[in-house]
Amino acid sequence: MITLEVSLGERSYPIHIGTGLLDQTELFRPHVRGQHAVIVTNETVGPLYAARVQASLAALGKTVRTVTLPDGEAFKQWETLNLIFGALLSAGADRKTTLIALGGGVVGDMTGFAAACYMRGVPFVQVPTTLLSQVDSSVGGKTGINHPLGKNMIGAFHQPNAVIADIDTLRTLPERELAAGLAEVIKHGAMADAEYFGWIERNIRALNACDPDIMALAVKRSCEIKAAVVAQDEREGGLRAMLNFGHTFGHAIEAGMGYGEWLHGEAVGCGMVMAADLSHRLGFIDIETRARVVQLIRAAMLPVVAPELGTDRYIELMKVDKKAEAGSIKFILLRKLGAAFITTVPDPDLRATLQHAVLRPPTEAPVA
């Protein structure tokens, strides 16, 4: 087992990465201090892993209740969130009740938001079961839900007590979900660590095959990068925005297509292709660097051609973004591999990238 720390003073917490962690009762003991625990999971993950987490908590003498949510990004909204609140209220949950987020990014975000809101804040533990959630969304305390006009626009910062990432859970991921997680792995290399980006290029076949040793190294390095950024900028005052490389375009794709049509990682992967194109168009990176980004996204089995939403529609959607200020869209671009920065861009260059992004060369495969 590998253990990292997110350093936030008195609110610091560990990230445990390894195999067989769901059954390690002692990992949960320091982080579930009250008598009651509520596992929040979904219809897909619950049948696979909820009983094991229940057993670990019961071995500590905890009273455990499970809330099962519908599965999918389309359900990351108020009605589903109220299922969690209803379960907590009907169970008489108090301020010492600990919520356990057992699932991917949607479950983690909603459980964290519920924990931030219920009684104005109760503890929660992240137990991520997808690659995307293990390398990104479970770390850092961003919680929230979607609105039809914008992704993750309603939420709160609420740090978990711990993150327990069991690599074994990745074995049950569909290929599409695994690829979606690789988008966030690639993102960390592209925006923060050129050497890591090169390592991903050399090991992409093993990552596609979910080799446990290689995957554990990818989860570790991605978590190290994110934890370091969060420790310096917990509430996204500046530096943390760099973690959104590819996300301004990606969130527009998700909202424009309808949440759930494209997985978050698929949209972010294509968004990184678009951000690399814009970085090249503005003269920050050379054509070889742009090509490396596109080739790695393609090698990870992610789409590299954007859906045709219309240029004006893309711009309208991107204006509803947490980084936007006074209607001005902010983009995370690359100065070089491993060095991201935030900026506004000239409208003609943005429109040129958007138009180029939806063109499919004759040799290009259809969008995944």
Side-chain angles (χ1 to χ4, degrees), residues 17 19 69 126-127 158 163 201 212-213 218 239 266 295 300 356:
I17 303 163
T19 57
L69 308 178
Q126 288 273 19
V127 185
H158 190 58
V163 178
E201 288 178 313
D213 294 330
L239 177 63
E266 292 172 334
Q295 289 164 7
H356 176 77

Side-chain angles (χ1 to χ4, degrees), residues 106-321:
V106 171
V107 167
D109 281 6
M110 287 201 296
T111 305
F113 191 28
C117 296
Y118 187 73
M119 289 187 149
R120 298 184 176 87
V122 297
F124 83 111
V125 174
Q126 288 273 19
V127 185
T129 61
T130 66
L131 179 58
L132 189 148
S133 59
Q134 290 188 3
V135 301
D136 189 66
S137 62
S138 67
V139 178
K142 277 188 178 181
T143 73
I145 57 173
N146 298 330
H147 186 278
L149 297 179
K151 182 178 172 68
N152 292 332
M153 294 298 286
I154 302 164
F157 287 97
H158 190 58
Q159 300 293 344
N161 283 22
V163 178
I164 300 173
D166 191 331
I167 300 296
D168 285 343
T169 63
L170 304 183
R171 295 177 182 174
T172 55
L173 281 182
E175 288 184 2
R176 189 181 173 197
E177 289 279 359
L178 184 69
L182 288 175
E184 297 287 357
V185 172
I186 294 166
K187 176 201 76 176
H188 286 119
M191 54 73 59
D193 187 342
E195 184 177 338
Y196 181 39
F197 188 91
W199 179 89
I200 299 166
E201 288 178 313
R202 294 190 298 275
N203 289 279
I204 189 61
R205 289 187 179 180
L207 290 166
N208 286 338
C210 202
D211 178 281
D213 294 330
I214 295 298
M215 195 62 77
L217 291 173
V219 174
K220 173 181 178 290
R221 182 61 189 136
S222 288
C223 286
E224 284 175 342
I225 291 169
K226 183 156 191 184
V229 171
V230 170
Q232 295 176 70
D233 181 18
E234 180 182 0
R235 293 179 174 264
E236 203 167 314
L239 177 63
R240 187 166 177 175
M242 301 306 109
L243 292 166
N244 288 315
F245 177 61
H247 285 59
T248 304
F249 291 110
H251 287 171
I253 292 173
E254 288 184 87
M257 292 296 288
Y259 294 118
E261 286 298 313
W262 281 49
L263 297 178
H264 175 67
E266 292 172 334
V268 167
C270 191
M272 286 190 284
V273 169
M274 297 163 82
D277 179 84
L278 188 53
S279 299
H280 171 65
R281 199 172 294 275
L282 294 172
F284 295 114
I285 61 173
D286 57 29
I287 195 167
E288 289 79 12
T289 300
R290 183 186 70 173
R292 286 180 67 186
V293 173
V294 176
Q295 289 164 7
L296 185 54
I297 296 295
R298 184 184 288 116
M301 309 301 178
L302 290 163
V304 296
V305 178
E308 175 59 272
L309 302 178
T311 301
D312 289 338
R313 178 59 173 155
Y314 265 108
I315 292 173
E316 176 188 3
L317 289 166
M318 288 188 291
K319 286 182 177 179
V320 186
D321 182 90

Side-chain angles (χ1 to χ4, degrees), residues 31-34 36-39 57 88 94-100 122-125 161:
H31 313 298
V32 186
R33 299 192 179 105
H36 301 282
V38 176
I39 298 171
L57 295 170
L88 294 172
D94 57 26
R95 283 193 173 92
K96 293 185 178 179
T97 299
T98 301
L99 275 59
I100 311 292
V122 297
F124 83 111
V125 174
N161 283 22

